[in-house]
Amino acid sequence: MLQTTHLQYHYGQRAFTFPPLQCSAGEVLLITGPSGSGKTTLLHLLAGLLLPDAGEIRIDDTVINNLPVAQMDRFRGRHIGIVYQQSHFMAALTVRDNLLLAARLARQPAASKQVAVLARALGIHQLLRQYPARLSQGEQQRVSIARALLPAPPLILADEPTASLDDDNCMAVARLLQQQARQQQAALVIVTHDNRLKALFHQQTAMPEPQAGLAALPL
Amino acid sequence: MMILTIAVRNLLHRPLRSITSWLLLTCASGMLALLLLVQAQAGRQFEQNVAGIDMVLGAKGSPLQLILSSVYHIDAPTGNIPLREAQPWMQHPMVRAAIPLSLGDSYQGFRIVGTTPDYIRHYGGQMAQGRMFRHSMEAVLGSAVAARYHLGIGDRFNGMHGLGAEGHVHEGHPYTVSGILAPAGNVLDQVILTSLNSVWDIHDHHHQEEEEHHTEAGEPASDSARQVTAVLLQFRNPMAQLQLPRWINTHTRLQAAVPAIEVNRLLSLMGSGIQLLRLIGWLLMALAACSIFFMLLQSLQERRYELALLRSLGAGRARLLALVLTEAALLGVAGIAGGYLLSRGILAALQPGLAQQFHYVLQHWWQPGAGEAGIALLVLLVCLLAALLPGIRAFRLNISKTLSHA
């Protein structure tokens, strides 16, 4: 499903070389490493939000490096679901409309029934009429997962999905993510420095140590 | 469709900000529409009522006042002139038609005009009921007068001396309604018409009874001493327009005023006021544009995560631009609608006052004028222009950077 060669990217003076990755449908790949090791950068490369300097990203038999911007946006909508560390929502829309919007943007219009089934599985069915700002962080993260899963993309990318959650919520969210991805036969890539997750998933890739001491977040 | 829904939700989600912009737009477009309307209405009314009258003959005084009182029936008359002095001009070879008017009385604020049937013909009046006045003390009512006081054929009413609300009622000399005119869309609707004889008869009688009015119309009544207030004249050729007024004004005790000149003067006086209001309207428009610009810029700054999110969910850049422009366009359309309602509301509120004071009924005022399409287009354009920069920023948003700075 997902295959990469050695990817390279740089911000100013700082250069990253990432290990090659491989993740098949229904599998979970955990990419671990301390902050500053370029995990978020790698995730943005995989999502086509950034372009690598060198290397190739192949998703579902499509090399995404060379897609034009508009086509990349469309490809991302249909093939990649993203769960962010901090959940972002359309503040003016209810939870239900946020979910439906994601499905429509992915050109996989979802029926209310589909939303209801997924929401029940994630334990957020009673929150559908709420506005996102009203939800707790754990609830927001679940909605965020529901949004990534609803269009049934073949690849799900999760960026520190559990960083802001307490232990109970962390375990619940990680299990839900794994369960639902397996059910949909999606490849799931989780980027994290959260040690609690390392115990849950077996397939792991560690990020190489940063070459300089400075944090290397995209600027 | 999806973009429209999100745009509406976004606007409603921040009601205070949206309402501020909408109010500014409403005031600006309403003001400009109102000015256009007032100008168009005033121009039309003035032109319709002056049509076919080349010169007005009356007592010395302000020429504008003479025109206003005798043609538009708004100002007070300048005074009376002896009919025999006016007669040489009424029968002058260069004059095609002459209509004498005798003013000074009113009924409930509507002026009673002593004249000849020619006056009604000149303004294209058609009898809706009854017949033309034939005898003294018979009156034909303009459509608005009849409608306002529910007067019918054969009804009687007493005229009042003077034009204001308060005045001496001519008791014992009631007019009888002989006819009612169909709406003519001009000044005819707002007056009561009777024969010159009626006015003369009332005042002859009046002078015998009351001594104090001697100063006003001095002489005893006789054919040679008949007075009129003004004479409306139509020339046979344009040459007369150049010669007659000047000759009359320098060589006689009469005053000759040319309506076209006076109306132009009046409109240019009004024009400077309208110019100022228009300037205020444009300023409001500029303010509204700035407000929308900053509103969109600020709200996009706050919502840049949302925009980045939309991109990461698969919405193209063109969609984000469309979303921003749609929000601005929605405000614009709401502003246009609000401005239309506002201008019509103000006109509707002014209407009774205008009818009472100036005897004018605005016509077709609720219909959008041609100029208003221009205003609407302009408002929309201003909104889109104000949204362009924020829209371009949304278009060029760096999603990776925005999302990782959460």
Side-chain angles (χ1 to χ4, degrees):
Chain A
M1 178 51 53
L2 170 73
Q3 280 168 311
T4 72
T5 58
H6 283 281
L7 294 178
Q8 286 177 15
Y9 191 80
H10 77 279
Y11 297 102
Q13 302 287 315
R14 300 204 11 97
F16 295 96
T17 304
F18 300 103
L21 302 173
Q22 162 85 40
C23 187
S24 312
E27 285 184 4
V28 183
L29 172 64
L30 199 68
I31 299 173
T32 58
S35 344
S37 56
K39 297 191 304 290
T40 295
T41 302
L42 176 59
L43 197 95
H44 284 184
L45 286 172
L46 298 182
L49 299 173
L50 291 175
L51 274 182
D53 297 335
E56 192 183 85
I57 303 162
R58 188 180 286 270
I59 296 172
D60 212 5
D61 294 327
T62 305
V63 178
I64 66 165
N65 306 38
N66 306 318
L67 290 178
V69 177
Q71 229 171 308
M72 185 62 234
D73 286 335
R74 218 171 306 142
F75 183 88
R76 187 188 310 117
R78 194 174 298 184
H79 293 85
I80 308 174
I82 309 174
V83 181
Y84 297 99
Q85 178 175 358
Q86 283 281 320
S87 310
H88 304 294
F89 299 100
M90 300 293 290
L93 303 182
T94 60
V95 167
R96 180 198 298 278
D97 288 342
N98 265 286
L99 295 179
L100 289 172
L101 174 68
R104 286 192 62 177
L105 284 175
R107 289 169 180 76
Q108 303 279 335
S112 293
K113 200 179 158 201
Q114 232 177 313
V115 174
V117 169
L118 187 61
R120 196 166 290 277
L122 289 166
I124 52 166
H125 53 280
Q126 77 283 13
L127 304 174
L128 288 176
R129 285 154 186 270
Q130 301 268 11
Y131 284 89
R134 296 246 173 147
L135 309 186
S136 74
Q137 287 209 313
E139 288 169 337
Q140 286 191 3
Q141 205 58 295
R142 285 177 211 215
V143 173
S144 189
I145 289 169
R147 184 176 58 196
L149 290 167
L150 187 62
L155 175 64
I156 296 169
L157 303 176
D159 185 8
E160 303 276 16
T162 54
S164 53
L165 304 180
D166 58 42
D167 288 350
D168 289 346
N169 267 312
C170 171
M171 288 304 145
V173 162
R175 285 226 176 77
L176 283 171
L177 204 48
Q178 187 181 20
Q179 261 172 28
Q180 296 296 321
R182 188 175 297 152
Q183 218 168 57
Q184 297 186 357
Q185 280 299 295
L188 171 62
V189 177
I190 301 175
V191 161
T192 189
H193 70 273
D194 193 339
N195 288 317
R196 297 173 293 187
L197 292 183
K198 288 180 186 169
L200 281 176
F201 303 105
H202 307 299
Q203 198 180 347
Q204 298 183 4
T205 299
M207 293 294 286
E209 285 298 307
Q211 285 149 20
L214 284 170
L217 282 171
L219 290 172
Chain B
M1 214 52 219
M2 179 169 54
I3 292 217
L4 192 65
T5 314
I6 299 176
V8 170
R9 296 282 193 86
N10 275 336
L11 288 175
L12 295 179
H13 193 66
R14 296 162 182 83
L16 208 64
R17 216 183 274 168
S18 306
I19 283 172
T20 310
S21 296
W22 174 73
L23 273 180
L24 275 168
L25 274 176
T26 293
C27 288
S29 70
M31 186 121 158
L32 291 174
L34 188 66
L35 289 177
L36 266 185
L37 277 172
V38 167
Q39 236 174 349
Q41 291 282 349
R44 184 158 60 199
Q45 292 273 6
F46 272 111
E47 274 159 29
Q48 263 178 16
N49 289 331
V50 86
I53 301 171
D54 295 323
M55 186 177 86
V56 178
L57 214 53
K60 290 270 189 214
S62 151
L64 181 56
Q65 189 185 349
L66 178 60
I67 300 292
L68 288 177
S69 64
S70 60
V71 179
Y72 301 109
H73 300 283
I74 32 186
D75 209 349
T78 47
N80 282 345
I81 55 172
L83 184 57
R84 94 185 109 75
E85 278 185 42
Q87 248 148 7
W89 305 110
M90 295 166 69
Q91 285 143 18
H92 194 279
M94 283 177 162
V95 172
R96 177 186 291 143
I99 305 168
L101 301 179
S102 193
L103 310 171
D105 283 1
S106 62
Y107 170 69
Q108 306 279 359
F110 289 104
R111 298 192 178 199
I112 298 173
V113 181
T115 184
T116 61
D118 286 341
Y119 185 81
I120 295 173
R121 277 194 284 276
H122 177 82
Y123 281 109
Q126 299 285 333
M127 281 295 168
Q129 296 174 49
R131 56 166 178 81
M132 187 65 72
F133 48 81
R134 271 183 217 146
H135 310 291
S136 177
M137 303 318 291
E138 284 185 343
V140 169
L141 306 182
S143 61
V145 184
R148 175 83 180 266
Y149 293 108
H150 307 293
L151 289 170
I153 306 294
D155 286 349
R156 293 170 155 238
F157 63 92
N158 281 309
M160 198 183 71
H161 193 70
L163 304 171
E166 301 286 315
H168 172 81
V169 177
H170 292 299
E171 297 276 8
H173 296 275
Y175 286 97
T176 307
V177 177
S178 71
I180 292 169
L181 293 171
N186 54 33
V187 75
L188 213 51
D189 296 344
Q190 303 284 338
V191 292
I192 298 165
L193 300 141
T194 184
S195 64
L196 286 165
N197 277 324
S198 311
V199 179
W200 288 333
D201 286 351
I202 280 192
H203 288 92
D204 283 350
H205 195 76
H206 202 59
H207 293 313
Q208 288 163 11
E209 278 178 357
E210 289 190 37
E211 296 291 314
E212 73 238 47
H213 282 277
H214 271 246
T215 43
E216 256 182 49
E219 300 141 278
S222 72
D223 265 11
S224 61
R226 292 295 190 203
Q227 293 199 330
V228 292
T229 313
V231 183
L232 310 179
L233 297 164
Q234 195 173 38
F235 295 135
R236 277 187 203 283
N237 64 50
M239 278 305 288
Q241 185 106 34
L242 297 174
Q243 295 169 0
L244 279 186
R246 184 179 300 175
W247 204 92
I248 292 169
N249 282 334
T250 44
H251 292 100
T252 69
R253 283 163 49 199
L254 305 178
Q255 176 181 218
V258 178
I261 296 175
E262 301 307 322
V263 166
N264 274 344
R265 204 151 60 112
L266 184 67
L267 286 180
S268 75
L269 283 175
M270 271 170 58
S272 55
I274 285 182
Q275 209 96 54
L276 181 71
L277 289 177
R278 190 176 295 158
L279 192 71
I280 296 175
W282 287 119
L283 281 176
L284 274 175
M285 186 69 86
L287 207 62
C290 285
S291 155
I292 289 177
F293 174 75
F294 285 113
M295 184 202 88
L296 284 174
L297 206 63
Q298 201 188 350
S299 93
L300 288 185
Q301 189 62 25
E302 288 168 15
R303 279 161 46 201
R304 63 190 188 283
Y305 296 118
E306 291 192 1
L307 293 176
L309 176 77
L310 284 176
R311 283 287 301 284
S312 82
L313 287 175
R317 297 200 289 197
R319 273 210 178 160
L320 300 198
L321 183 65
L323 177 64
V324 175
L325 293 183
T326 303
E327 282 184 32
L330 279 174
L331 275 177
V333 169
I336 291 165
Y340 177 83
L341 292 178
L342 182 71
S343 62
R344 294 322 191 274
I346 291 177
L347 271 190
L350 286 179
Q351 170 91 61
L354 284 177
Q356 193 102 54
Q357 279 189 8
F358 299 108
H359 300 307
Y360 281 150
V361 176
L362 302 170
Q363 288 164 8
H364 308 301
W365 54 278
W366 62 91
Q367 288 173 359
E372 279 181 280
I375 292 181
L377 213 65
L378 187 93
V379 169
L380 214 57
L381 215 68
V382 161
C383 288
L384 291 181
L385 216 65
L388 206 58
L389 184 67
I392 287 173
R393 284 185 63 160
F395 190 87
R396 298 174 58 172
L397 187 75
N398 181 336
I399 20 178
S400 167
K401 205 162 109 179
T402 308
L403 286 172
S404 51
H405 279 257

